[in-house]
DNA sequence: CGAACTTTTGATATCACTCAAGGGACGTGG
DNA sequence: CCACGTCCCTTGAGTGATATCAAAAGTTCG
């Protein structure tokens, strides 16, 4: 979908040995160390993704979860709907993210998972997962770490909605996504594709889409960002981070914050 | 601290065999089945609690976690502070709750844990935890389930702050606590001790303490609750649940919602 | 019985919401 | 290629929910 600036491979440039564009591998390697075998297994799992259009539910509230969905491209989300129709988005699933390794322990989903943009998705069935966890301790460890980071991210989102102002919330989200997407090689400098609507952003931050629109304009006017055609460019990362009071410690990135 | 109406044991009444007041055991049994041996181990672990005064940090942000704290009485919380001093409370730890089984996998805490009221707390060191997880699959399974419920609760809190009005947020929290405390035998009918300040409530719900105060008055005036001396009595549970649009599915209580 | 903390209340300010309408951008079908 | 529908973005005006500021009254506890 866009260039991966972290591996520095432009068109025609030969890839270093062991290079991968697989976001799951990149993500897990930002948290832990994988063996060649681990990597091979993960490559095999994500071999045949399926293209899912925007606005599709992968799992609905009340469903019995019967597998894990791994996002390879695009953005999906966890969300809940209120009776009024109000939607709260509780997490973004970006490339390399997956849903609910062991939610199969529970009888029914208490929330839904759906795509915000068109996504490349792999469905991994329970047996495969359990085999993976049984035979690959390195992967298991990395997946557990990733789950802890997901939880920490959820906590940070609560802080975001609970005690930041509208512009700070949006700025914080943008800073977080930059690091998360950079870890999986989906950034270009300080920019990335943000293939979601302002209404999605509103339901994420607990604002209205009208107010999100005004805050985006304000962020642009202050020279912090550029945003058009669903492509975000952060013009002043320091400024944006300062505004959002962004502290990336909760992402627990293992020292791969280069670039 | 107060009577346990679920086991129906008044003063002087003989307890049924196998009766326990241990909140961890009660909590885990609301999610899964434990063996006699499991129960005995858990009783032993929580044998010598320590009394911690209100407003004490158990773990601070930045600390390397080196053990697990189990709450046996009182209310503690996870929280983060902003530079401005604003505090966001991200979870309540009520009796039977513990912090971060496997957060020891991470290098540093990204948030703090502190007491809101005086608490009875047990600190369990890493070795003990690991032994427990190794030798007691039943407990391990129950603890994993409990972790999933913690996560689901966190998501529901995000919904609460993200898209409910002030009175709804408070009502929802009260409904949730009723079920959580009932599961560990800390309720009396539709009432329970709520030993926290209105400011704590404000930092939990993303409101100011002044506004929390007004909303509490409103809930009282509508005949939904009574609250004084840090004792909450829900007068109209159906009404409160309707106001909050409370759906307890996220707590994944295994059919123990009796009373 | 005084000090610190908490709750309560009033007056005012403001941030974000609501309602409403116009203006792209994009795709589809004639 | 144009016409049209749909979805999304943008902007304005007015409203409302919640915050802020300030002070008094109650509570707890040494």
């Amino acid at each position: 979908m866009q260039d991966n600036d972290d591996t520095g491979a432009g068109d025609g440039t030969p890839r270093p040995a062991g290079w991968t564009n697989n976001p799951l591998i990149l993500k897990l390697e930002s948290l832990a160390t994988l063996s060649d075998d681990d990597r091979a297994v993960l490559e095999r799992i994500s071999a045949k993704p399926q293209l899912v259009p925007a606005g599709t539910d992968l799992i609905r509230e009340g469903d019995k979860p019967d597998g894990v969905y791994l996002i390879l491209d695009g953005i999906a989300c966890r969300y809940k709907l209120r009776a009024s129709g109000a939607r709260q988005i509780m997490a973004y699933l970006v490339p390399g993210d997956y849903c609910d390794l062991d939610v199969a322990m529970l009888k029914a989903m208490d929330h839904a998972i759906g795509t915000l943009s068109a996504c490349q998705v792999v469905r991994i069935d329970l047996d495969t997962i359990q085999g993976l966890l049984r035979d690959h301790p390195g992967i298991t460890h990395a997946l557990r770490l990733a789950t802890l980071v997901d939880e920490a991210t959820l906590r940070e989102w609560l802080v975001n909605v609970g005690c930041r102002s509208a512009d700070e919330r949006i700025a914080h989200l943008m800073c977080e996504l930059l690091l998360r997407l950079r870890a999986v090689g989906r950034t270009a400098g300080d920019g990335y594709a943000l293939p979601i609507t302002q209404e999605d952003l509103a339901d994420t931050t607990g604002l209205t889409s009208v107010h999100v629109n005004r805050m985006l304009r304000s962020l642009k006017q202050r020279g912090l960002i550029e945003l058009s055609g669903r492509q975000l460019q952060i013009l002043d990362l320091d400024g944006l981070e300062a505004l959002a009071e962004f502290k990336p410690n909760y992402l627990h990135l293992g020292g791969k914050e280069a670039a």
Side-chain angles (χ1 to χ4, degrees), chain A:
Chain A
M1 195 171 230
Q2 86 213 75
D3 278 341
N4 168 353
D5 65 344
D6 293 318
T7 53
D11 284 309
T13 309
R15 310 299 197 185
W19 179 90
T20 180
N21 194 34
N22 183 301
L24 178 57
I25 295 178
L26 291 168
K27 172 178 161 165
L28 295 184
E29 289 196 313
S30 78
L31 296 168
T33 307
L34 298 178
S35 69
D36 288 349
D37 182 43
D38 290 340
R39 274 192 295 274
V41 169
L42 294 174
E43 286 281 14
R44 207 172 318 129
I45 279 182
S46 30
K48 289 203 264 323
Q50 200 185 342
L51 181 62
V52 178
T56 310
D57 278 336
L58 300 175
I59 311 181
R60 290 213 171 79
E61 183 166 347
D63 284 0
K64 165 93 182 120
D66 61 342
V68 168
Y69 290 90
L70 166 65
I71 308 298
L72 292 175
D73 192 48
I75 299 189
C77 72
R78 297 173 192 278
Y79 71 94
K80 282 196 192 192
L81 292 176
R82 292 195 61 185
S84 66
R87 174 180 63 160
Q88 179 65 43
I89 292 176
M90 301 171 300
Y92 284 173
L93 303 178
V94 302
D97 291 337
Y98 47 84
C99 50
D100 305 305
L101 224 42
D102 41 19
V103 97
M105 292 170 74
L106 296 174
K107 290 175 194 105
M109 288 292 288
D110 54 50
H111 62 281
I113 297 179
T115 56
L116 293 176
S117 71
C119 288
Q120 294 285 352
V121 176
V122 177
R123 189 181 164 286
I124 308 170
D125 59 50
L126 268 185
D127 292 345
T128 308
I129 292 291
Q130 280 161 358
L132 206 64
L133 296 177
R134 185 179 355 97
D135 304 334
H136 298 271
I139 294 177
T140 303
H141 180 252
L143 289 174
R144 289 237 166 278
L145 275 175
T147 301
L148 290 179
V149 172
D150 287 349
E151 256 185 80
T153 303
L154 186 54
R155 281 191 293 265
E156 190 63 38
W157 280 34
L158 183 58
V159 174
N160 213 26
V161 173
C163 61
R164 272 189 261 261
S165 64
D167 53 349
E168 291 169 352
R169 291 182 206 181
I170 295 170
H172 194 279
L173 182 63
M174 288 174 171
C175 292
E176 176 185 305
L177 285 176
L178 179 68
L179 293 200
R180 287 173 61 183
L181 291 172
R182 179 173 286 160
V184 293
R186 261 64 177 177
T187 55
D190 288 344
Y192 50 88
L194 189 59
I196 65 178
T197 67
Q198 293 181 5
E199 184 150 4
D200 295 332
L201 227 36
D203 292 345
T204 303
T205 50
L207 302 167
T208 59
S209 62
V210 172
H211 202 56
V212 165
N213 183 280
R214 293 192 226 273
M215 294 299 105
L216 287 175
R217 178 169 29 141
S218 161
L219 293 175
K220 288 173 197 167
Q221 278 171 350
R222 284 182 265 177
L224 294 169
I225 64 164
E226 222 165 49
L227 178 62
S228 70
R230 313 231 153 144
Q231 187 70 29
L232 174 72
Q233 187 65 34
I234 298 177
L235 300 176
D236 176 4
L237 182 54
D238 288 346
L240 199 67
E241 289 185 347
L243 170 65
E245 212 172 89
F246 181 72
K247 293 191 302 177
N249 61 328
Y250 68 97
L251 293 173
H252 297 276
L253 295 167
K256 277 215 171 181
E257 290 99 325

